[in-house]
């Protein structure tokens, strides 16, 4: 077992490179932007670089002048940026925007079963009574963050209810991996694929939530158990290149960087002492997919719940994607925020 070591200056340079490439992408107010700008917000947390905040303020304020699109669960991912902008600037309009999204989730978002958010990618009833792992990042984790920021018990309880039911519906009790989705009408997991990025959404948000809770909250043990079991399964599926595949248990499927970054960030945050080798391999594998200009490569395009594993394997990984940039930044930032886990040179 070798202790994972990294060069702190190298990580900071990589963060800046990825942030600046992300700044040169044209987004709309949606989940891709939400994940990408979440990454920039995390980068600001560890670097204090005011340029990052100035960029986000300018972008958000220009968009507000144009008008926001209709509310939907996926676009609530932009709430993460609102929380950081309020923290960085003190301007109440950003907190008001976060509250607007939270109240949409609380009062208007489509739900099923025990108050579970239905996954929506528009203002329509896109996927009737379907729960997708993506929603944990876009909505549940955001609502949890806002709940703790404002000490609003109803937000915290609603968010934890989402974590509870998404784990119930999506985590396979045999493999401990997460399925992409659950169809409550058909009572099945549709194609029942262990999609890489779905597992990243679940692992990353559970790792963050686990740090926010305390042992006197019943969901602390629940989330910790689900995450620990999931990561134990995931490390055994890491490829020789230090990455994870888009279909986790299919060696013929391609290695995918956004899933790998989200999973690696979770490993660093959860900090199991015997996961050092996996963290080190993931660092090497992810760095190999960051271009000189900060483009994160080999990131799968937006992916619906496909009909078969073969359909997942042909999803394009040609283009630079906001979620690839954001999750890679989340991983690099996790290294700096968990220095006690890894050794810096």
């Amino acid at each position: 077992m070798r202790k994972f070591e990294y060069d702190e200056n190298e990580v900071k340079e990589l963060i800046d490179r990825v942030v600046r490439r992300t700044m040169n992408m044209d987004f709309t107010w949606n989940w891709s932007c939400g994940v990408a700008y979440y990454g920039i917000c995390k980068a600001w947390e560890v670097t204090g670089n005011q340029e990052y905040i100035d960029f986000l303020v300018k972008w958000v304020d220009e968009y507000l002048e144009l008008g926001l699109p209709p509310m939907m669960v996926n676009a609530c991912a932009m709430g993460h940026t609102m929380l950081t902008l309020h923290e960085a600037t003190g301007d109440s309009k950003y907190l008001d925007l976060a509250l607007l999204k939270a109240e949409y989730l609380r009062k208007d978002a489509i739900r099923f079963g025990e108050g579970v958010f239905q996954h929506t990618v528009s203002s329509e009833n896109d996927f009737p009574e379907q729960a997708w792992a993506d929603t944990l990042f876009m909505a549940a984790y955001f609502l949890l963050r806002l709940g703790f920021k404002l000490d609003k018990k109803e937000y915290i309880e609603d968010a934890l209810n989402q974590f509870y039911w998404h784990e119930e519906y999506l985590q396979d009790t045999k493999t401990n991996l997460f399925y992409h989705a659950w169809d409550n009408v058909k009572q099945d997991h549709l194609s029942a694929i262990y999609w890489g990025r779905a597992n990243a959404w679940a692992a990353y948000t559970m790792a963050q939530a686990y740090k926010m809770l305390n042992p006197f909250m019943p969901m602390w043990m629940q989330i910790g158990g689900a995450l620990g079991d999931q990561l134990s399964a995931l490390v055994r599926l890491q490829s020789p290149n230090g990455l994870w595949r888009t279909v986790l248990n299919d060696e013929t499927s391609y290695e995918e960087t956004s899933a790998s970054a989200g999973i690696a960030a979770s490993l660093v945050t959860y900090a199991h002492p015997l996961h050092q080798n996996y963290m080190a391999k993931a660092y090497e594998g992810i760095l190999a997919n960051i271009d000189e200009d900060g483009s994160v490569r080999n990131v799968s395009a937006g992916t619906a719940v496909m009909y078969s594993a073969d359909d997942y394997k042909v999803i394009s990984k040609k283009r630079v994607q906001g979620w690839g940039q954001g999750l890679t930044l989340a991983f690099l930032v996790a290294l700096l925020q968990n220095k006690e886990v890894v050794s810096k040179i």
Side-chain angles (χ1 to χ4, degrees):
M1 172 69 67
R2 61 180 171 124
K3 187 164 179 63
F4 171 31
E5 295 182 332
Y6 69 88
D7 184 328
E8 185 171 0
N9 289 327
E10 178 183 54
V11 171
K12 288 180 178 177
E13 189 276 328
L14 284 164
I15 287 172
D16 191 62
R17 198 193 309 173
V18 175
V19 167
R20 293 187 187 282
R21 175 65 179 91
T22 309
M23 288 176 173
N24 286 321
M25 298 171 71
D26 289 331
F27 294 107
T28 58
W29 192 284
N30 207 334
W31 72 278
S32 176
C33 185
V35 182
Y37 288 177
Y38 172 83
I40 295 179
C41 290
K42 298 298 288 184
W44 171 75
E45 286 181 16
V46 295
T47 66
N49 191 327
Q50 186 63 32
E51 284 185 75
Y52 301 168
I53 292 298
D54 292 344
F55 166 81
L56 292 173
V57 165
K58 183 175 183 293
W59 189 94
V60 169
D61 287 357
E62 286 182 355
Y63 220 110
L64 292 178
E65 288 181 16
L66 296 170
L68 298 185
M71 288 283 192
M72 57 176 166
V73 167
N74 252 15
C76 287
M78 282 299 295
H80 290 292
T81 300
M82 300 308 108
L83 296 182
T84 300
L85 288 184
H86 180 254
E87 177 187 346
T89 69
D91 193 328
S92 61
K93 73 180 177 185
Y94 302 118
L95 183 58
D96 290 343
L97 275 168
L99 285 165
L100 191 69
K101 291 181 178 296
E103 287 302 298
Y104 160 77
L105 289 172
R106 294 279 295 142
K107 297 174 181 176
D108 298 319
I110 303 171
R111 299 176 184 242
F112 68 89
E114 298 296 321
V116 183
F117 292 143
Q118 176 180 302
H119 185 74
T120 57
V121 298
S122 74
S123 57
E124 305 300 320
N125 184 7
D126 299 300
F127 305 102
E129 294 197 31
Q130 288 186 18
W132 292 22
D134 313 47
T135 302
L136 288 173
F137 184 93
M138 313 307 163
Y141 172 39
F142 157 63
L143 201 56
L144 189 67
R145 288 184 67 196
L146 184 57
F148 274 104
K149 178 181 176 67
L150 300 179
D151 194 24
K152 285 181 77 78
K153 186 178 180 182
E154 63 269 32
Y155 286 4
I156 295 171
E157 289 180 347
D158 197 356
L160 293 178
N161 184 62
Q162 303 305 320
F163 276 98
Y164 177 87
W165 283 105
H166 279 75
E167 181 216 319
E168 283 290 305
Y169 287 140
L170 299 179
Q171 190 169 28
D172 182 6
T173 55
K174 292 187 174 67
T175 66
N176 290 313
L177 300 174
F178 275 67
Y179 294 107
H180 191 168
W182 165 258
D183 188 319
N184 201 51
V185 176
K186 296 178 180 177
Q187 292 286 299
D188 65 21
H189 295 101
L190 298 120
S191 54
I193 301 299
Y194 303 126
W195 182 44
R197 195 156 61 236
N199 278 264
W201 296 133
Y204 183 79
T205 55
M206 288 196 297
Q208 297 303 312
Y210 188 59
K211 288 180 67 175
M212 296 166 73
L213 305 183
N214 66 64
F216 300 100
M217 302 175 75
M219 280 299 292
W220 181 80
M221 186 63 75
Q222 177 101 8
I223 289 174
L227 176 62
D229 286 349
Q230 184 197 17
L231 292 179
S232 291
L234 285 169
V235 294
R236 288 159 175 81
L237 293 171
Q238 189 179 35
S239 78
N241 293 322
L243 301 174
W244 283 266
R245 301 182 185 280
T246 198
V247 179
L248 288 169
N249 57 338
D250 185 340
E251 292 189 357
T252 66
S253 71
Y254 60 76
E255 295 170 346
E256 202 278 329
T257 312
S258 69
S260 300
I263 292 166
S266 311
L267 289 172
V268 172
T269 304
Y270 185 68
H272 192 293
L274 297 181
H275 288 169
Q276 294 275 325
N277 281 346
Y278 305 109
M279 296 177 207
K281 284 175 62 180
Y283 182 65
E284 293 169 4
I286 291 165
L287 259 61
N289 282 282
I290 302 175
D291 285 354
E292 282 299 314
D293 72 345
S295 297
V296 178
R297 296 296 178 186
N298 295 307
V299 174
S300 61
T303 306
V305 182
M306 309 305 287
Y307 292 122
S308 69
D310 286 341
D311 290 335
Y312 282 90
K313 291 190 286 187
V314 296
I315 295 289
S316 173
K317 54 184 176 70
K318 176 181 179 180
R319 305 198 179 279
V320 180
Q321 305 284 3
W323 46 92
Q325 302 293 112
L327 285 169
T328 297
L329 286 169
F331 167 60
L332 295 171
V333 167
L335 295 175
L336 299 180
Q337 288 183 327
N338 297 276
K339 293 178 183 178
E340 72 281 1
V341 180
V342 291
S343 298
K344 59 185 175 65
I345 299 171

